[in-house]
Amino acid sequence: MLNTMIGMTLVGLFIQALIGLGFLVSSLFERERRASLLGLIQFLVMAGAFIVYAYLAWIGYLHTTPKSVIVTGGFILGVLIIGVMIKRDPPNKRAVAGSKGYTSGQIHRFDERDHVFARNRSVVPDTEQYRTYYASHPEYEEYDAQRRSKGGPTGPMGKIDYPHSGFEVAMAAACLSIPHHLSQPGMYHPEQHPAAQQFVFFEKDFSPGEATQRIKGFTRQLGADLVGIARLDPDWVYSKRGEIFSQNWKDWGQPIELTHQYAIVFAEEMDIHMTQTAPHMPTLVESMRNYAKGAFISTQLAAFIANLGYSATANHLRHYDIILPPVAVDAGLGEISRMGYLMTKEFGPRVRLGAVTTDMPLIPDKPVDLGIQSFCRLCKKCAACCPSQSIPKDDEYTETNGTLRWKLNAEGCFDYWAKAGTDCNVCMRVCPWSHERTWPHQLIVWLTQRNRINQRIFTFLDDVFYGKKPKSKTHPLLRIN
C-alpha cells in the first residue's frame, strides 16, 4: 500500500512539473516577462520536488518510520486537495436561464437614439433631428456639446500615439470602410435573389435540424470562431432607429419592428498580441478588422438565407436591430461579465460579435453557466485597471431597466475613448480570462469554472504572475525594421 502511495505521489509530482513547464512555455509565448520569470522558478521548484522525492523513494528513505506516516498523510492531503479542486459548485440558476435569469422587473426596449454613440455620431447640430432629440433629452445636450467641441464624437483617431500612429490610423480606417460599405439596406437586409426561385422547393425538404447544421457550418466557414442560435427575445430589439449611415435619414427615430423569431449569433477571436497593446492603436486596428470581418460574415449569411426563400437581416457595426450581448447569452456563447463584454469559455472577452436575425425555422441552443458571475464578483481586475474608472467595483448588481447587472458608466468610457482616440480595450487586456488558450490556461479555465475556491486561488495567482495592473505591450504591426 505504501509503495502504491509513493508511486502515485511520484506521478502527481511529475504531472505537476509538466504543468509548470507548460506554464513557463505559455508565458514565454505570451511575452509575459514577469510570468515567465516566476514560471521558471515555479517549474524548478516542482521539478526539484519530483527529483528529491524520487531519489528518497529509490534509496528506501520513505519506507522508514515515521517517514511512512508523513508519506501517508501527504498522500491523503493531496487527494483531498484534488477532490476540493475538481468538485463542482451547484449550477447558477440565473445563468442557465439565459438573459431572462437576470430580469428583475419590466424591461423597456432601448431606444437606439439614447446610445452614447448614436447621440454623438448621428445627431448633427443645427438639424431637425438635433432639435427633436434634445428637446426631449435636455439633460444630455450640454454634456454632448462639450464633447463635440473637443474634436468630434470620438476625438482624433490614434491621438494617444501621436505623432507615430499614421500607418495604424490608415489601417483602422481601411477596415472601417467595409462595414460602411455594407450599411446599405440592400446589403444588411437582402431581397430574395431572382435566382432564389430555383431554391424554394427546398423549403419543405429540410428539417430545422438540418438547417441549423448548415447555418452553423457556413458561418464557421465564413470565418466565425463561435456560433450559436437563440430564440429572439423581443426585449432585446431596439425600439427606435438611432444610428444613421448611408444617409438613410428617413429611418431616424422610426420604430423598429422585427418579426424574426431567431438570431444566429457569432463571435470572432481578437488576436491576443494586438489586444495586449491596449489602449494603443494596434488594439483599435484589431477591433476594426474584426468588425469588418463580422460585417462580411453577417451579410453573406443573410444573403445565404435569403437565397433559400427566408427573410434575414444582418447585424454588424453599421447596422444593429438587436442588442447583441444578451442575445449571445441566450445563444449559449457565454455570459455577461462585469465589464459588460460577453465572456466566452474559449477566448474570454477577446471577441467581437455579429448576428443575423431570421424567420427561418432553427433549433436554439441553451444558455451556459461558466461561473463568470461568481468570478467577476470576486476578481474586479477590470474595474481596478479601467483608465476612466467606468466599471463598477460593487460586489452585487444594480437594477437597470428591469435587469440585474454591473452597469458600465458608458459616458465616462466614451469620454476616455475620445481622449485616447482608440476603443481602449484595457479591461479586455487585463482580464484573467483573456490569456491565450494554451493547455495550461485551458486547465486553469476548466478548474475556474468548477468552484469558487479555484476562482479565489487563480485570481490571486493571476495577480502574482501578471501583476494587479499589468502594463500594455508593444506590437510592430506590420512595421519593417
Side-chain angles (χ1 to χ4, degrees), residues 16-147:
Q16 193 177 46
L18 281 181
I19 293 173
L21 178 61
F23 182 78
L24 170 60
V25 174
S26 174
S27 299
L28 291 170
F29 174 76
E30 290 183 288
R31 300 185 301 161
E32 295 284 356
R33 293 183 180 179
R34 174 172 173 162
S36 296
L37 176 60
L38 293 177
L40 174 61
I41 295 172
Q42 172 188 255
F43 168 65
L44 292 176
V45 170
M46 291 176 173
F50 168 75
I51 293 171
V52 169
Y53 195 90
Y55 175 74
L56 293 176
W58 180 62
I59 65 176
Y61 180 78
L62 299 178
H63 292 78
T64 61
T65 307
K67 309 302 183 301
S68 60
V69 176
I70 297 175
V71 170
T72 302
F75 178 79
I76 294 173
L77 179 61
V79 171
L80 290 175
I81 290 174
I82 293 174
V84 168
M85 294 190 75
I86 65 174
K87 178 181 177 296
R88 175 111 187 165
D89 281 346
N92 180 350
K93 294 182 179 179
R94 290 187 185 276
V96 295
S99 61
K100 282 305 182 185
Y102 298 92
T103 298
S104 58
Q106 183 178 1
I107 298 175
H108 300 282
R109 288 170 58 190
F110 189 78
D111 188 335
E112 192 184 31
R113 295 177 299 176
D114 295 338
H115 198 290
V116 64
F117 285 103
R119 297 196 328 257
N120 290 274
R121 187 160 55 195
S122 293
V123 180
V124 182
D126 299 322
T127 63
E128 184 60 34
Q129 291 84 6
Y130 184 98
R131 290 185 287 271
T132 299
Y133 181 78
Y134 288 109
S136 57
H137 296 83
E139 70 276 14
Y140 290 136
E141 184 170 14
E142 182 178 354
Y143 192 80
D144 290 347
Q146 290 178 355
R147 183 184 286 127

Side-chain angles (χ1 to χ4, degrees), residues 361-377:
L362 299 169
I363 298 178
D365 292 291
K366 295 181 179 180
V368 294
D369 173 18
L370 303 178
I372 296 300
Q373 304 310 305
S374 57
F375 182 88
C376 286
R377 185 173 283 108

Side-chain angles (χ1 to χ4, degrees), residues 213-435:
Q213 183 179 11
R214 294 300 188 98
I215 286 290
K216 288 184 174 181
F218 186 53
T219 306
R220 288 183 178 276
Q221 186 63 29
L222 289 171
D225 293 298
L226 305 173
V227 58
I229 294 172
R231 190 177 296 277
L232 183 59
D233 187 331
D235 284 338
W236 309 130
V237 179
Y238 285 112
S239 62
K240 294 183 179 180
R241 179 75 60 212
E243 282 273 53
I244 298 301
F245 302 100
S246 301
Q247 298 301 311
N248 54 326
W249 284 102
K250 62 181 178 60
D251 293 340
W252 186 86
Q254 294 301 309
I256 297 177
E257 301 296 339
L258 191 63
T259 59
H260 294 162
Q261 293 181 304
Y262 300 97
I264 305 151
V265 190
F266 59 87
E268 311 139 41
E269 179 188 11
M270 293 180 64
D271 180 81
I272 187 170
H273 296 304
M274 297 282 273
T275 56
Q276 281 178 333
T277 67
H280 296 278
M281 273 302 293
T283 195
L284 177 65
V285 175
E286 181 63 9
S287 288
M288 293 302 105
R289 183 186 73 86
N290 275 275
Y291 281 129
K293 185 177 176 182
F296 167 78
I297 293 171
S298 60
T299 52
Q300 297 305 298
L301 182 59
F304 166 54
I305 295 172
N307 285 343
L308 292 172
Y310 293 94
S311 175
T313 302
N315 286 254
H316 61 71
L317 181 65
R318 289 299 179 252
H319 177 82
Y320 291 115
D321 287 331
I322 61 177
I323 303 174
L324 288 183
V327 182
V329 168
D330 292 338
L333 297 189
E335 296 185 58
I336 303 296
S337 62
R338 176 182 289 274
M339 68 186 81
Y341 282 134
L342 181 79
M343 191 84 83
T344 66
K345 174 183 176 182
E346 294 81 0
F347 312 114
R350 284 189 298 107
V351 294
R352 287 289 182 242
L353 300 175
V356 171
T357 61
T358 183
D359 59 1
M360 185 181 198
L362 299 169
I363 298 178
D365 292 291
K366 295 181 179 180
V368 294
D369 173 18
L370 303 178
I372 296 300
Q373 304 310 305
S374 57
F375 182 88
C376 286
R377 185 173 283 108
L378 172 70
C379 178
K380 303 180 183 178
K381 198 165 191 172
C382 60
C385 295
C386 177
S388 61
Q389 295 297 291
S390 298
I391 301 173
K393 298 179 181 179
D394 305 314
D395 289 339
E396 301 302 325
Y397 314 115
T398 57
E399 183 174 347
T400 305
N401 187 26
T403 62
L404 297 172
R405 56 193 168 108
W406 288 291
K407 179 66 172 68
L408 177 75
N409 178 357
E411 303 294 331
C413 181
F414 189 81
D415 282 343
Y416 182 77
W417 285 26
K419 180 180 177 180
T422 71
D423 56 357
C424 184
N425 287 336
V426 167
C427 54
M428 179 187 293
R429 170 172 62 81
V430 304
C431 177
W433 282 68
S434 282
H435 297 298

